[in-house]
Amino acid sequence: LSPLDRDQMLGLRGIREFLKVRNSYDVLPLSCRLIVFDNELLIKKSLNILIQNGIVSAPVWDSRTSTFAGLLTSTDYINVIQYYFQFPDEIDQVDQFRLSSLRDIEKAIGVLPLETVSVHPTRPLYEACRRMLRTRARRIPLVDKDDETGRETVISVITQYRILKFIAVNNEKYTTLLKKSVREIGLGTYNSLATETMSSSVLDAIHLMVKYNISAVPIVDKQNRLLNVFEAVDVIPCIKGGDYDALSSTIGEALSKRSEDFPGIYTCTEEDRLDSIFDTIRKSRVHRLIVIDDESRLRGMISLSDILKYVLLHGEEDDSIQYG
Ligand code: ADP
């Protein structure tokens, strides 16, 4: 093992140990707000509530059974959009759909059901991470259960971003050991990248996200230079007010409607090292890194799940077979 490899493994092990002794409560701020949607809320109304509150997901609560009914995310709206375009005769019905109808929508278009995976807030953070990687969930609700009554309470939701930020802020001594470059550790995806141009339609980008099961599509020019990124969450303002026909507008138009607090896009090169990626995560609200070359041409995509997977599973062959 070279000194570089040795340090890298020391850093990774340090972070893994940290994740095993901390739990999900540790990641939460002392006080935070949680907006929970009732299962009977109209989908159309849920959109406005998300937009008004500047959030992109919410846990859903079934008040008839007093149980957690799953996490509503931009994927669910994308499912509704697919339904709308697959069954154009049912336009009137789409307006009347409630969150509880999402199950039927999923069945009708043949996709996986609303993510109901959750984790107990006092379980090790490592377990929450493992569960997220296994289910490909980008966020996971913390659900507590009263031993006596069996009643569930949704405490909060933690995202991959929050966990990586928590690692970055509390483990500088380990993250600085991660001196291997993105290229050396093969971090991210570099082949068959899904891209669109500014003049493609929003619907084109949505179809691509569904087809590749990805949450962002880089927008490039004719020379493959990176101009922007269209994200699954960008779909939400597009269908505000239930106007699904607005989806035929161009990506350029849709991106110009982004809210003022859009955190921006983050890029890196294949020569960048993991320690500097953790620096970026420590300082900024990063949801993915787009890999470019010296001339701004698109090379690859690094998702937060790629980073989390590497940090948790690299070198742990047996475990990765078990957890996928
Ligand atoms: P996350 O699961 O963190 O939300 P994505 O859904 O964007 O991230 O990415 C899932 C996987 O697909 C990752 O391994 C990532 O590298 C890859 N990926 C992301 N964007 C694209 C793209 N536009 N084309 C091809 N692969 C991508």
Side-chain angles (χ1 to χ4, degrees):
L1 231 56
S2 72
L4 197 66
D5 283 311
R6 206 188 50 226
D7 274 1
Q8 188 89 3
M9 273 326 287
L10 276 177
L12 293 176
R13 288 209 189 100
I15 296 172
R16 288 171 195 165
E17 284 313 309
F18 172 81
L19 292 173
K20 286 176 184 167
V21 296
R22 296 302 189 92
N23 64 34
S24 302
Y25 269 132
D26 296 328
V27 183
L28 298 180
L30 278 180
S31 131
C32 58
R33 161 187 86 153
L34 180 68
I35 295 172
V36 179
F37 286 165
D38 190 283
N39 221 4
E40 290 311 307
L41 185 70
L42 285 172
I43 291 180
K44 202 173 146 179
K45 287 201 174 155
S46 71
L47 266 173
N48 289 334
I49 300 172
L50 289 181
I51 295 169
Q52 277 160 17
N53 289 283
I55 53 176
V56 294
S57 90
V60 180
W61 184 254
D62 186 333
S63 46
R64 274 181 307 123
T65 55
S66 290
T67 51
F68 165 63
L71 191 66
L72 177 76
T73 69
S74 48
T75 308
D76 298 300
Y77 296 106
I78 289 178
N79 288 346
V80 177
I81 292 167
Q82 292 190 92
Y83 182 92
Y84 178 88
F85 285 96
Q86 277 182 34
F87 304 98
D89 300 341
E90 293 176 30
I91 290 174
D92 297 338
Q93 218 191 315
V94 172
D95 251 5
Q96 296 309 315
F97 276 146
R98 297 175 187 280
L99 294 180
S100 54
S101 329
L102 284 168
R103 282 280 138 77
D104 300 327
I105 295 175
E106 289 152 358
K107 254 188 233 141
I109 61 169
V111 296
L112 292 173
L114 188 77
E115 195 58 77
T116 52
V117 65
S118 66
V119 71
H120 193 280
T122 59
R123 298 298 303 162
L125 203 46
Y126 192 81
E127 193 175 312
C129 294
R130 275 312 205 27
R131 204 163 280 186
M132 279 200 208
L133 291 178
R134 194 160 58 222
T135 58
R136 299 207 57 206
R138 295 164 183 120
R139 33 173 43 91
I140 192 166
L142 308 178
V143 178
D144 200 351
K145 198 167 179 176
D146 188 305
D147 285 342
E148 278 168 29
T149 61
R151 264 186 82 100
E152 294 184 327
T153 315
V154 186
I155 307 288
S156 190
V157 178
I158 52 171
T159 58
Q160 293 186 347
Y161 163 70
R162 258 192 177 287
I163 293 175
L164 286 169
K165 183 110 175 167
F166 187 65
I167 294 173
V169 169
N170 293 289
N171 287 276
E172 225 171 321
K173 71 168 184 246
Y174 294 126
T175 57
T176 49
L177 293 175
L178 306 173
K179 298 234 181 291
K180 294 185 90 172
S181 70
V182 163
R183 189 197 303 273
E184 283 171 305
I185 62 176
L187 190 66
T189 302
Y190 297 84
N191 294 319
S192 26
L193 289 173
T195 64
E196 289 288 1
T197 63
M198 280 293 183
S199 54
S200 325
S201 73
V202 171
L203 211 50
D204 292 334
I206 291 176
H207 287 319
L208 221 48
M209 288 193 265
V210 172
K211 184 171 159 209
Y212 284 76
N213 197 0
I214 48 173
S215 60
V217 178
I219 310 303
V220 293
D221 69 8
K222 283 201 187 76
Q223 281 79 42
N224 202 32
R225 279 184 304 236
L226 180 70
L227 299 176
N228 214 321
V229 179
F230 188 83
E231 303 178 358
V233 294
D234 289 316
V235 171
I236 295 176
C238 290
I239 51 173
K240 185 177 156 188
D243 178 16
Y244 293 92
D245 294 327
L247 294 169
S248 52
S249 66
T250 66
I251 288 174
E253 279 162 9
L255 291 180
S256 67
K257 288 184 206 143
R258 257 182 188 155
S259 90
E260 299 217 330
D261 58 2
F262 177 71
I265 65 174
Y266 290 87
T267 59
C268 70
T269 70
E270 281 178 278
E271 278 65 48
D272 281 333
R273 305 182 316 203
L274 197 50
D275 62 347
S276 75
I277 291 185
F278 270 108
D279 282 339
T280 310
I281 295 175
R282 190 174 301 124
K283 294 185 201 121
S284 340
R285 207 163 95 207
V286 189
H287 291 294
R288 61 188 48 79
L289 288 139
I290 298 134
V291 189
I292 52 173
D293 67 12
D294 293 341
E295 272 133 60
S296 286
R297 277 186 303 250
L298 177 70
R299 297 280 306 129
M301 295 289 279
I302 301 177
S303 71
L304 297 187
S305 58
D306 292 331
I307 302 174
L308 203 60
K309 195 176 279 168
Y310 177 80
V311 167
L312 259 78
L313 299 178
H314 175 72
E316 309 244 313
E317 301 305 338
D318 296 346
D319 289 356
S320 46
I321 291 169
Q322 189 185 341
Y323 287 95

